[in-house]
Amino acid sequence: MSKKILVLPGDGIGPEITAEAVKVLDACRAAGLDAELDEGLVGGAGYDAEGHPLPESTLAKAKAADAILLGAVGGPKWDTLEDLSKRPEKGLLGLRKNLNLFANLRPALLYPQLAEASTLKPEVVSGLDIMIVRELTGGIYFGQPRGIETRNGERVGYNTYVYSESEIERIGRVAFEMAQKRGGKLCSVDKANVLEVTILWREVMNRLAPEYPDVELSHMYVDNAAMQLVRAPKQFDVVVTGNMFGDILSDAAAMLTGSIGMLPSASLNERQQGMYEPCHGSAPDIAGQGLANPLATILSVAMMLRYSLGESALAERIERAVGQVLDAGLRTADIAYPGTRQVSTVEMGDAVVAAFANA
Ligand code: NAD
């Protein structure tokens, strides 16, 4: 049966980068992928057109889709909206929550051609290939109670860091299975020396470990993990952690690779339905100028093919095509350096499509 892909361009550079990713999807369809594409509004674009960052029509299409390709949301135009529930990012949070996208996969892979782009020494990062598995729908970002209230005459802000055993187990299983398919190493990151919720996290990871004898499980406190990521990042294969620690560590890992414009991500639920998006935001500073790097979005299409559409061979072809384009010296402004040829967003997309034909 034909698969359904929903494209949500969003705001800022979102429409430019998704347009290039759609060209790659079209090339995959020409190569045999049986998929229908539809489009919807989200974020500021949803608010402007329908008064809500996640319009009902978009949510209905998202629920019916096998996979969603999202550009990015947000921008200064909507930063002053007083009603926080109408801010663009609420569109994203709403999609994650409604589709129960609890597993966020964030690879930090450094293409050898870009080792010079990292702020770390090439020998520290060259060959880097980490997969961060972040729990996305629980933890302190969603825990109740939360709020700001007055106690004894002064204002107090509070949040709740909470995980149930079943929430930890399901993200743990995603991470163990990911480690089985990769290098066989899983590092669980917590703060079990201070936080009870992560004592439970560690216990559950240890309980699952015997079911995956081919995976070597280790544990690390989050402060040490932050240090190790910049000291010796190649020691990591798969990292699993909760929502807040994962938010922070995955951004740090992203920067090890030099350009946020290269990094894709996937958010999956238990049915392998997924939302695929670049790690970066809507980059309003460069929107509409043809400067945006579309490769993170194109590589998100590869993740979509692998994790939601069961088309690993096409995913590998896209990744090879991106490698070939980099080998040929083509670079958008964010990854350009002397000796390379700077190209626009559209030229980069076209080059990947051309390379895909023979990849
Ligand atoms: P950003 O990722 O949009 O931009 C940070 C810097 O990286 C900017 O200098 C930008 O020009 C550059 N950059 C980002 N993507 C690029 C690409 N593909 N090619 C070349 N350069 C790129 O982060 P920000 O500036 O903190 O946020 C801008 C807006 O994006 C805000 O409204 C924020 O809320 C939103 N945002 C959205 C998401 C999302 O949709 N998932 C994520 C983060 C931020």
Side-chain angles (χ1 to χ4, degrees):
M1 209 174 67
S2 186
K3 302 280 188 187
K4 288 197 172 83
I5 301 172
L6 177 65
V7 181
L8 301 176
D11 310 316
I13 60 170
E16 297 165 62
I17 52 179
T18 49
E20 299 315 306
V22 166
K23 283 185 196 166
V24 175
L25 269 173
D26 286 340
C28 290
R29 293 202 294 167
L33 173 69
D34 185 9
E36 293 163 22
L37 266 58
D38 196 359
E39 203 169 301
L41 294 168
V42 74
Y47 176 79
D48 286 350
E50 306 202 19
H52 199 282
L54 182 55
E56 279 298 324
S57 56
T58 300
L59 182 57
K61 285 180 187 182
K63 284 182 175 167
D66 294 288
I68 300 163
L69 179 68
L70 182 116
V73 299
K77 183 176 173 195
W78 304 280
D79 280 350
T80 48
L81 276 178
E82 292 216 344
D83 182 351
L84 294 185
S85 70
K86 299 284 166 65
R87 292 267 179 101
E89 54 272 27
K90 292 291 176 192
L92 275 190
L93 294 178
L95 282 167
R96 287 177 188 165
K97 201 75 196 163
N98 276 286
L99 302 181
N100 206 11
L101 303 172
F102 70 92
N104 185 217
L105 311 183
R106 298 224 357 204
L109 184 131
L110 184 72
Y111 277 84
Q113 301 92 327
L114 300 179
E116 295 292 331
S118 175
T119 48
L120 268 65
K121 295 190 188 95
E123 64 268 25
V124 175
V125 288
S126 185
L128 183 78
D129 182 2
I130 306 175
M131 176 68 83
I132 298 195
V133 178
R134 165 189 170 196
E135 201 291 328
L136 201 60
T137 53
I140 196 164
Y141 290 177
F142 293 96
Q144 295 287 347
R146 61 192 294 158
I148 302 174
E149 64 189 30
T150 302
R151 295 180 192 167
N152 301 326
E154 70 166 338
R155 294 203 306 153
V156 175
Y158 57 96
N159 291 85
T160 302
Y161 190 176
V162 56
Y163 272 120
S164 66
E165 247 180 312
S166 58
E167 281 177 306
I168 303 169
E169 181 170 332
R170 68 179 182 176
I171 193 72
R173 290 196 183 282
V174 170
F176 274 104
E177 283 165 24
M178 182 64 66
Q180 282 180 320
K181 291 184 204 135
R182 291 173 43 102
K185 278 169 56 184
L186 175 62
C187 178
S188 172
V189 171
D190 61 36
K191 190 72 183 167
N193 50 342
V194 179
L195 299 169
E196 282 79 356
V197 51
T198 68
I199 293 175
L200 182 66
W201 178 281
R202 193 177 277 219
E203 275 177 24
V204 173
M205 293 297 161
N206 282 333
R207 172 166 63 72
L208 294 177
E211 293 182 45
Y212 304 90
D214 46 345
V215 175
E216 181 197 319
L217 173 70
S218 61
H219 303 277
M220 199 179 274
Y221 296 139
V222 63
D223 40 351
N224 188 21
M227 229 160 52
Q228 295 301 329
L229 261 183
V230 290
R231 192 188 69 85
K234 283 190 271 183
Q235 68 185 283
F236 296 107
D237 176 15
V238 179
V239 173
V240 63
T241 189
N243 203 343
M244 180 169 62
F245 296 162
D247 190 3
I248 299 163
L249 293 182
S250 59
D251 267 16
M255 278 333 283
L256 299 175
T257 70
S259 174
I260 199 151
M262 291 298 300
L263 293 172
S265 78
S267 306
L268 297 169
N269 64 19
E270 266 154 322
R271 298 189 291 122
Q272 299 297 110
Q273 187 189 26
M275 182 156 83
Y276 296 83
E277 54 180 315
C279 288
H280 58 73
S282 59
D285 53 330
I286 58 166
Q289 300 172 42
L291 289 173
N293 185 344
L295 293 178
T297 318
I298 289 171
L299 291 168
S300 299
V301 169
M303 288 189 89
M304 171 192 288
L305 289 160
R306 182 171 290 125
Y307 295 115
S308 286
L309 305 181
E311 297 277 0
S312 297
L314 285 174
E316 282 162 25
R317 264 179 81 178
I318 295 176
E319 288 159 354
R320 274 199 302 275
V322 169
Q324 285 173 16
V325 166
L326 295 175
D327 279 341
L330 270 56
R331 304 280 190 275
T332 43
D334 56 315
I335 51 173
Y337 54 87
T340 58
R341 181 155 80 82
Q342 193 173 321
V343 295
S344 69
T345 310
V346 171
E347 286 168 323
M348 184 58 102
D350 288 343
V352 174
V353 170
F356 177 83
N358 302 308

